[in-house]
Amino acid sequence: MIALANYLGQNGGCRIAMPAHLLVRSIVPDVQHRAAFDRWYGEDHMAEAIRVFSPSRCWRSWSEIDASVHYAFYEFDTVEALKAMTSTEAFAEMIADFTRTWDGKVTRERDFIQSVQLVEARPAPLD
């Protein structure tokens, strides 16, 4: 069975708002900084981000293609909620804290991502 939803499109007569994500892509070029960065992000920064951002969920990953690349995803119910959060003083303070802690050791970029289609593929039921 495949469940398919389109952003504000029709799905069985219902309009569905799709989630939005804040994506933070960090590059930690020096292998000697990666363990400390991973520990800091996992134990300090993500917990603070959950408190400040109030995302519906979040997760982070390291690239399997380029070991220096770290991704953090923060999911919001709407792109408006994401944009509102990023205009707060608390968000600006988190950016400043990241810069103070990792300036010169880690570079990063942020992107706002609006989901436009969601497909949930499930195995077909056994007869």
Side-chain angles (χ1 to χ4, degrees):
M1 167 178 273
I2 297 177
L4 176 66
N6 292 315
Y7 173 69
L8 296 179
Q10 297 297 321
N11 184 12
C14 298
R15 294 175 69 80
I16 298 174
M18 301 295 283
H21 297 89
L22 167 63
L23 167 62
V24 181
R25 180 179 185 264
S26 302
I27 301 173
V28 189
D30 188 336
V31 69
Q32 294 180 0
H33 293 125
R34 291 183 194 154
F37 177 82
D38 189 62
R39 188 172 37 261
W40 173 82
Y41 212 106
E43 295 174 4
D44 298 331
H45 195 67
M46 176 124 345
E48 181 71 5
I50 291 167
R51 186 186 68 73
V52 169
F53 300 173
S54 298
S56 53
R57 65 183 179 155
C58 56
W59 62 96
R60 60 191 196 92
S61 308
W62 285 96
S63 172
E64 286 292 318
I65 295 172
D66 182 345
S68 70
V69 178
H70 176 271
Y71 296 99
F73 299 86
Y74 302 90
E75 185 175 282
F76 296 84
D77 293 336
T78 65
V79 72
E80 292 80 16
L82 166 59
K83 288 179 179 178
M85 181 280 300
T86 60
S87 66
T88 64
E89 182 62 31
F91 181 70
E93 289 173 17
M94 288 210 57
I95 291 171
D97 178 57
F98 189 112
T99 301
R100 274 190 306 275
T101 306
W102 296 103
D103 193 32
K105 300 175 194 148
V106 178
T107 59
R108 71 189 181 286
E109 55 188 35
R110 289 174 291 282
D111 199 356
F112 296 175
I113 302 170
Q114 172 66 68
S115 297
V116 295
Q117 186 175 34
L118 172 65
V119 178
E120 292 187 25
R122 298 186 184 109
L126 297 174
D127 291 334

